[in-house]
Amino acid sequence: MRYISTRGSAPELNFEQAMLAGLARDGGLYLPAEIPALDDIAGFEGISYEDAALRVLRPFTGDSFTDDELSGAIARAYDGFRHIARAPLSQLAPGHHLLELFHGPTLAFKDFAMQLIGQLFQIALSRSGQRITIVGATSGDTGSAAIEAFAGLANVDVFILFPHGRVSEVQRRQMTTPDAANVHALALDGHFDDCQARVKDMFNDHAFRDSVGLAGVNSINWARVLAQVVYYVTSAVSLGAPGREVDFTVPTGNFGDVFAGSIARAVGLPIGRLVVATNQNDILHRALSGGEYRVGQVAPSISPSMDIQVSSNFERALYLAYGGDAGAVRQLMDELKSGGFTISQGAREALAEIYASGRVSEDETLAEIARIHAETGQIICPHTAVATRTARDFMRKGVPMISLATAHPAKFPDAVAQALGVRPELPAHMAGLSGKPERVTRVENDLNALKSLILDRRQA
Ligand SMILES: *Cc1c(COP(=O)(O)O)cnc(C)c1O
């Protein structure tokens, strides 16, 4: 399996190389040169999540990992999840289902991909003896999942940039309390988009990139996208696919999770519609509904993991919608530097075949948490509420709708308390979180300062 860049001028890589690289050297994102069809989808019925993962991943990993390496990595990745089904479905209303993706160690769906790539990185690095420096940007959940997956690993330093003061207390503590020496939590003065932009700057500085062995684990990493394809398949099959169509609604920020859904559709899963649900930071809703991708100011919300304006993985969807025209993508990304671009008519139509979209206000999000609680007794997190609220506008008769529950409500207790007047309890294994000492460095939004801090801190 060969991987190519959305901007067309980076070297082609195999799966392992694309995973270790993260971002392509031309600034683009890696995609498989062809998308293989998934064999025997009906045969997924009743098999374990781990077996399903092996069958979904295998055609994409080529000869990078043996079957034994891959199945071992999958087994270790999901062993720490607190539900035997890993990604169980529950029901909210007739025809409306909730895919619970918060049973992993850091209580958000990011664990599905991060735990797996932690294992795969370990195999690859112990084979090559290479030393790497992971630098990631987070709006809260990627950082905690990455730290959980990479803390204490030999040959790896992990630097996580999060926007100072803009993550929830639970998210912050998950990043600042691990005591492994290879973990470095950095609170940057700025928004998530600033964190993400500085990480991209470091990747585009090839001398720095090579000198520290920079590796990226943000959702721009193809291996993360691939890991997320699995739960689309398992959940759709439990509701009758491939004999029946299903729709999904996905609370969206960086477009990684919903893009994984589009890959599930491309390999042959009968997905009718992928509904992109945004909070008040609605650039994706505006782009998909009106064709204009224009960057505005980030407005901090009660669903902070989606407080994003520049949505990195959308570049992959654009590349496919423009029929694999890397020149067109380069042009759009150039225009983005001066604030935005207009999507061509043909590409808009291609996107509309796959995606629908909606936007949910802060008040609607709170009302939705209260409504779901009143109707089902279940407490959902604010990101999940953005999805379930949007999903209700897109229900189709006879087609099951699956809303993705991307985090556990206890990660966002303030929003839940605002909606319900009660604070959800952290699961028992995380009860000690608030008593532990924190380790964090406050940093300016300055590339050179960040580069020297990384050179200085890493355990070369
Ligand atoms: C990261 C995150 C999202 C957004 O996912 P993307 O892949 O960035 O679109 C939604 N909800 C939660 C809880 C998250 O952590």
Side-chain angles (χ1 to χ4, degrees):
M1 175 64 66
R2 293 172 311 119
Y3 286 85
I4 54 173
S5 164
T6 49
R7 302 199 193 168
S9 52
E12 287 187 3
L13 301 179
N14 68 18
F15 176 81
E16 178 182 329
Q17 293 163 328
M19 175 182 85
L20 291 173
L23 194 68
R25 288 181 95 84
D26 58 4
L29 308 185
Y30 277 105
L31 273 174
E34 292 121 44
I35 297 181
L38 185 60
D39 286 336
D40 187 23
I41 295 177
F44 278 72
E45 170 95 57
I47 69 175
S48 69
Y49 189 87
E50 284 79 353
D51 287 345
L54 181 64
R55 290 177 56 172
V56 170
L57 266 57
R58 182 75 278 185
F60 287 96
T61 53
D63 51 16
S64 290
F65 297 99
T66 65
D67 277 0
D68 280 352
E69 284 174 330
L70 207 51
S71 56
I74 291 167
R76 290 188 297 277
Y78 300 119
D79 190 41
F81 279 52
R82 286 175 176 74
H83 196 298
I84 189 69
R86 311 312 181 205
L89 276 173
S90 59
Q91 191 165 2
L92 291 178
H96 192 182
H97 304 266
L98 196 68
L99 180 56
E100 298 181 0
L101 301 175
F102 49 73
H103 296 284
T106 71
L107 310 182
F109 82 93
K110 305 288 199 300
D111 288 324
F112 277 89
M114 210 62 90
Q115 285 293 319
L116 182 64
I117 72 169
Q119 296 297 332
L120 294 177
F121 265 68
Q122 236 178 116
I123 296 172
L125 296 179
S126 65
R127 225 159 28 197
S128 70
Q130 207 182 338
R131 239 212 107 76
I132 59 162
T133 304
I134 290 174
V135 181
T138 184
S139 52
D141 294 326
T142 292
S144 42
I147 286 169
E148 179 74 29
F150 289 94
L153 277 198
N155 293 341
V156 180
D157 276 286
V158 194
F159 291 86
I160 296 295
L161 275 73
F162 67 87
H164 176 72
R166 299 185 192 279
V167 298
S168 80
E169 184 183 338
V170 174
Q171 289 177 317
R172 191 192 71 238
R173 288 183 174 278
Q174 284 180 320
M175 294 187 274
T176 58
T177 60
D179 49 19
N182 71 331
V183 166
H184 316 271
L186 309 177
L188 182 134
D189 284 313
H191 288 286
F192 168 74
D193 290 301
D194 299 313
C195 298
Q196 180 160 258
R198 294 300 76 75
V199 171
K200 284 193 179 171
D201 290 344
M202 286 184 232
F203 273 89
N204 290 329
D205 179 338
H206 291 173
F208 179 75
R209 178 175 182 157
D210 296 337
S211 74
V212 302
L214 208 57
V217 298
N218 273 106
S219 64
I220 49 179
N221 191 307
W222 165 257
R224 275 191 58 191
V225 173
L226 179 60
Q228 292 168 189
V229 175
V230 179
Y231 48 71
Y232 285 91
V233 179
T234 58
S235 60
V237 168
S238 12
L239 292 178
R244 189 188 195 195
E245 203 171 57
V246 294
D247 290 336
F248 286 91
T249 302
V250 186
T252 298
N254 226 356
F255 213 80
D257 206 5
V258 73
F259 185 75
S262 79
I263 298 297
R265 188 175 183 276
V267 300
L269 197 69
I271 297 177
R273 222 163 20 192
L274 288 165
V275 184
V276 174
T278 75
N279 66 21
Q280 61 191 0
N281 295 293
D282 62 352
I283 182 167
L284 288 166
H285 172 55
R286 284 184 281 117
L288 289 167
S289 58
E292 292 290 320
Y293 190 90
R294 298 262 163 247
V295 178
Q297 283 291 315
V298 174
S301 80
I302 55 171
S303 44
S305 304
M306 309 196 298
D307 288 348
I308 289 176
Q309 286 289 335
V310 181
S311 191
S312 292
N313 279 289
F314 194 52
E315 178 169 341
R316 288 190 161 111
L318 289 168
Y319 176 84
L320 297 178
Y322 278 82
D325 182 350
V329 173
R330 275 201 304 276
Q331 169 81 35
L332 297 178
M333 293 303 136
D334 269 347
E335 288 174 38
L336 183 58
K337 289 184 195 137
S338 43
F341 53 79
T342 304
I343 303 170
S344 75
Q345 192 54 35
R348 279 184 70 181
E349 282 163 18
L351 289 167
E353 292 265 307
I354 306 174
Y355 305 103
S357 68
R359 168 202 205 270
V360 179
S361 72
E362 296 289 275
D363 284 347
E364 288 169 325
T365 306
L366 291 170
E368 180 69 10
I369 295 173
R371 175 186 172 132
I372 295 287
H373 185 245
E375 289 181 351
T376 70
Q378 194 156 351
I379 300 179
I380 57 173
C381 94
H383 310 77
T384 306
V386 167
T388 60
R389 173 68 195 85
T390 306
R392 284 198 278 109
D393 293 338
F394 288 92
M395 299 284 293
R396 294 192 291 156
K397 207 169 162 25
V399 181
M401 172 63 85
I402 302 174
S403 287
L404 271 55
T406 47
H408 191 287
K411 269 194 120 162
F412 305 95
D414 295 335
V416 172
Q418 219 181 316
L420 299 179
V422 291
R423 291 179 78 77
E425 293 280 323
L426 277 174
H429 75 279
M430 286 177 53
L433 196 63
S434 63
K436 293 187 189 163
E438 295 189 67
R439 245 176 357 117
V440 57
T441 307
R442 183 93 176 256
V443 293
E444 276 172 70
N445 180 14
D446 178 88
L447 180 62
N448 286 321
L450 282 167
K451 287 195 319 200
S452 45
L453 183 144
I454 288 169
L455 285 167
D456 190 47
R457 289 275 183 90
R458 93 198 166 98
Q459 313 167 300

